[in-house]
Structures are given as structure tokens and as C-alpha cells.
Amino acid sequence: MQAVPTLSSGQRKRARRVHNIFQLINNFSFLLVNGSIVTLYALKAGAPVVFLGLVSSLNFFSFMCVPLGHLAARYISVVRVYAWAWLLRYLSMIPILGVPFFLVAGKNDIAITLMFISSIGFNLFRGVGMVGNNPVIATMTSEKERSRYIALVFMLTFLASMIGALFLVFVLKIAKDSIWAYAGLFFVGIVSGVWASCYVFYFPETPKVETKQNLIQVVQQVMKRQSFRIFIITYFGISFTMSMVRPFAVVYTKEVYNQSDSASILYTSIGFLGSLLMGAFSRLTVNFVGTKALYIFYMSMAIISLVPAIISPALTGVSLVIFLLLFHFLSNLGMQGVESNSQTYLFGVIRPTEVSEVFTFYYMIYGLAGGIGAMLAGELLNMAHKIGLSTLDSYRAFFLLVFSLFVLLLFLLARLQNTGKHSVTESLGYIFSMRDMKALSLANKLEESSSPAEQIHILHEMTRSESDVSEDFLVETLSSPREEIRHQALYAIESMPTLKDKNLIMALINELHCSLYTTAYIAARILGRMKITRSIPEMRLCISSPDYRLQAEAIFALAQMKDQKSLPAMLNLLRPETNPYVLVKLFASMERLLPTSKIRLFFRPMYWHKVQPELGREALLSAAFMLGMLDTFYPFYCTFLKSPQEAYQSLLEQYQTSTQMNQRGTQLPVNLFNVETKGRTFMNICNTVWPQVFSKPSEVDEAMRSAVNNPLMIRHESFRFMVAVYITKKMRHEKAHHKLILGGV
């Protein structure tokens, strides 16, 4: 068992840079010495299908040699084992350079034997060296960086493989599939492979294993965990099934549709575009949607990719080209996606100290299942030929079998532990949403950006996306020392329909204390709008904050969350010296928290010696809301602020039109609708009509009458207008059909 050493951020970046160069050169060389090129070379030498399955199985059985590397790592460093094994695996391919000489001499058996010996040596040392792959990745990445970096590694792998495949196609096309062209390609692959191996010596060292706990003990421990058991059983099935398809995809192209070697490799190289797209997509989404959702998504793509092969229609020309491109593209996208997510998922369910041992076991499972699958595939196709099936029908039946196994595996994947923050259903919804994918792309750009100007631009774009997928990425942005960045980040959060991320909620609550006079008030506004009740204790403290904007937004946020306990502290602020902006928010809050019987509190600013016009307007509108007549009063009041005389006239005309004229009912004096009616005159008019209009006055009606008889209240022209609206609305509401008599008192 080993602990992962801690490197600084700069050291990890430099290590990853070296590792990226290694990945590009190594995977370019790998394609020139292993895989499809060996399969096509063996076919050219006349090797039977069973031999193709056997050679392909070596790629998987090589992983059974990982324990040898694990054993060697007890005596020398993991990186040294990795580097020397990688160097020896390319040197082991030297015997294959002699194959053309024996083919020319007609000694095909010896040529095939040399291919087999070279492949054995290559895969033996490959397995030994694989012990260092994941520990090195674990060393050069933090837990947060790891998932995305693994996706990047796969992208580099497929990019280099595609370049290698195109180079291979170019050479074979020029040389017309000559055996000497194959020899030249192997030579280039060996040389570039040795070059790549030199970079491994510069990888950061992982600590030597210094514990008596061996591989078997660690495996026994992890197998006790249900999450790991389900994963490893599922992974065995995945490795087994996919190893049946991969080696024979290129053979299928060649044998069923009679494609040349170069054309078969070309289709394979185009298939790497699917793998490259998979890597880019995984890197974008893996940290957000989680590996289980991606597992299911890619397995579904793999299942879909087999449908064309099951049908295998008779095609020629452009239709055939499109068909084969689609088959290779989708199969690479799906199968490579499943494989890449296996490693990422495993990192999420094991401890850092178990990386070396568990991945050794992981590779053994991969090798055993893959080797069996590849050999069985060759045998099945051979048996299909023996029982009389044509080549076309043999492959149709073969792919139908694999299709059925994939469907069963899809159900097994659904039982895996979900390591993501979102449910699989939610995650798949995000994957198929263009809006959320765009927002996630912006969030990834934000995470990688270090320029304040660029971050502000990205945050502005995120605000317009109105998606909640970027929650994770905005947490760190809120800790930025630059106010403008925090400001824009908060606007982006405010545009989200919901707020689910616990870390982001805590960051917003923390913002209340850490960003006074700058952005704290926006955080309070968001918490209130989203009704995050866990923020109530901190919000109550903000009622007495020296930051008046935070104070105001906290008061309104508490009202939105119906926090009655904070009402006494709020009402203590209802005094002349309080900031007008805070008072405006206080009125809006009182609307939500106070019963209508407390309407007198809204008139309190009218008693003050000096009342700012804006404050008086807000107090009246809040009072109108409490009286249940805001919708009626508001349009009249807007007119009143421009022309009081016009407002009174409009009020009079509306009630003349809406009231049925008759000779009965209460008579409202026209002076009630006259802007010149003031002071005692207005008070007397109201006292005259009040008992008739309000025959059974409520507590609110009595509060309004008390305000009417207060000289400090009726001195305000706007209050007198509101009383006129209140009286006439009451008459209309009760449908008393009062007649308006145009006369004075």
C-alpha cells in the first residue's frame, strides 16, 4: 500500500506537460507496432482467424503481467519499473522486422511465428510497465483535477492514434500494401516508441511500497465493499464483450465489404474521431454529471453502433463509405467512452493509498476477461464458417450476440453506485440539453481562466445562459479578491432558476460577512429570492449591519422567507434617522409580515417633521397593498403624481360610469374629489360619509378613520387622494349603487 505524494501546483503542471508529450509519441508509435497493423500483417501472411483472435488476446493477457510489475516495484521505484518495461516492450518488436524476408522466401509459418514472438514480448513488458500508469497519474493530479485530466489523456491518445493511422494509410496506399511497407512502419514505430520511453524516466517518483500488506490482502479488503464488487463484476463483463468486437471490427470491414488494407485502416482512423469527441465530451462533463451517467450514455452509444453491423446491408459507393464511417465512429465513441469512464469511476470508489494494488487487480480483470473474449470471438467466427454460414451471416450473428450482451450490461451499470452529485436521470437530462451543455462549457472556461477581464466576460455569458449547471464552478469565483468578478458571478447565480449546490449556498452565506460594502447585499438578495431558510440566522444579524444595502436586502430576504421572529428588530428601524433605502425595503417587508390591522405603522412616516417624497410614496403604496386596493390605486396614483386635478377627475368619471344612477343611496359630496379640499373641510366630509359607507366598519376601517382625523396625516395631499379612492372603492365593492350628487357641503 502506498500514499500519494503531494506535489505543488507548479510541479504537477510540469509533470503533466511531460506526460502529455509522452502520450502523443507513445500512442503514435503504438499504432505502428500493435493492433490493426498486426492483424492485417497476419492476414497478408495467410494466418487463420483463430490466430487473429489469439494475437488479439495477447493485448488483454498482457495485463495479467501487472503483478510482476507490482512485485518489481517493491525493490525499485514504480517509475523505474514503468520506464524500463516500456523501453523493453518496443525493443521486443525487433524480431518482426525479419518477417518480410521469410514471406518472400515462402516460409509463412516462420513469419507468423516471428509475429507471435514479437507480440508476446511486447505485451509481456507492456503488462509489467502498466503498474506505473495510474500511480503516476494520481501523483501528478489533485483529486479535483484527476477526472478531467484522465479525459485529456484519452483525447491525446486518440489524437495521436488518429495521426498514426493516417500515416499508416498514407504509407500503405503509396506502397500498395507492400510487405516492405509494413516492415518500414514497424521500424518507425519501434524508434518512436524508444523515444517515448525516454520521457518516462522524467515522470515524478511515486514512493516505494513500504508495507507488509500485499496485493491479495488489499483485494480482499476492497472486495468487502459492495460498490467495488458490483463495479468489478460489471467491468469483467464489459472487458469480455468489448474485446470480442474491437479486434474484428477491422477484419469485418475487410472480409465482408472487401476493403483494402489501407482503406480498412482509414476507417479505423476516422473512428478515432469518435474517440476524440468522447474524450472532449467526457472532459467537459465528467466532474458535473458523474461517471455513472456517462457510463450509461456511452454504453447506449455502443449498443446503437452495433445496429448497422447487425443489418450489414449490401451497399456500394458513397453509401458504403458513409455506412462504414458511421459504424467505426459510433463504436469508438461508445466503447472507448465506457473504457475511459471505468478508470475514472474506479478512482472515485477507492482510497488514494489503494491505487497501485487495486489498479493491478483491475488490469488483471481486464486482461483475463479481454483475452477470453478475443479468443472466444475468433472461435465463434471460425465455428460459424464450419457450420456453413456465409461470411456476411457469420458477422451478423456475431454482432447480434454482442448486442444482446451489451443490453444486459446496461442493466448491470444501472446498479452501480452513483458517485456524482446529481441523479442519473438529472445528469442525462443535462447531457441532452444544449443550454446546459453551453453553460457547462462556459464554466470549464471560467475554471481554466486566470485573466480578470476574461473571467468577467465569461461570467457575463453565464448570466445569459440561465442554467444551474455552473454552480460548482462559481463557488471559487465568489472568493475572488476583485469586486467586479464577484459582482458578475453573483449576477450569474441570480439568473439561475434554482439553487441546489450546498457549497455554493455556504459561499453565499459567507459572502454576507466577508464582502461588506461591496457584494454582500447581492448575496442576501439571492438567498431571499431562492428562499434559502438555512441563511436566516446570518440574515438576522445583518439587520443591524453598518452596510445599509446589505441591511435593506437582508430585511426583505427575511420577509420573503416569512421569518416572523425578525419582525421586532425590523420595526425598531422605523424611525426618521434610518436610511431611506432601508425604509423602502422595510415597507415592502412589512407588507409580507404584518396583519392588515397594523396598517397604522405604514402611516408613521407621515407623522415625521420631514418626509422625503420617495419614502412617502412607498409608504402609501404599501398601505394600499394592505388595504387590498393596490391594483385600483396604483394607476390613479401614477396619474396623480403628474396632475392631481386630472387624477381626481378620472376617479370621479370612472365611478359615475360604473355606478347605476338612481335617486337612492348615500350621497358623496363632489368636494371629496376636489384637489382644493384640504384640512378641516376634508376631515368633515369624511366624517359625514364614513358612517354611511362603512355601516359595519372593520378594524382596518377604524384605523383609516383615525388617520383621517389626524391633522398630521391629512396635511399630505397624496394621503387625502388615497382616502378618496378607498371610500369610492368601498362603495363600488359593496355594489350599493350610490348616486353622486354634484354639490357641496
Side-chain angles (χ1 to χ4, degrees), residues 442 446 452 454-464 473-474 477 484-492:
L442 289 170
L446 177 66
E454 185 180 8
Q455 288 184 7
I456 291 168
H457 174 72
I458 294 170
L459 287 167
H460 179 70
E461 291 295 316
M462 290 171 69
T463 302
R464 297 196 300 179
F473 303 89
L474 290 170
T477 313
E484 192 177 4
I485 291 177
R486 296 198 311 276
H487 207 107
Q488 195 62 53
L490 287 165
Y491 280 146

Side-chain angles (χ1 to χ4, degrees), residues 161 251 268 356 504 585:
S161 298
V251 182
T268 303
S356 180
L504 184 55
K585 286 293 185 180

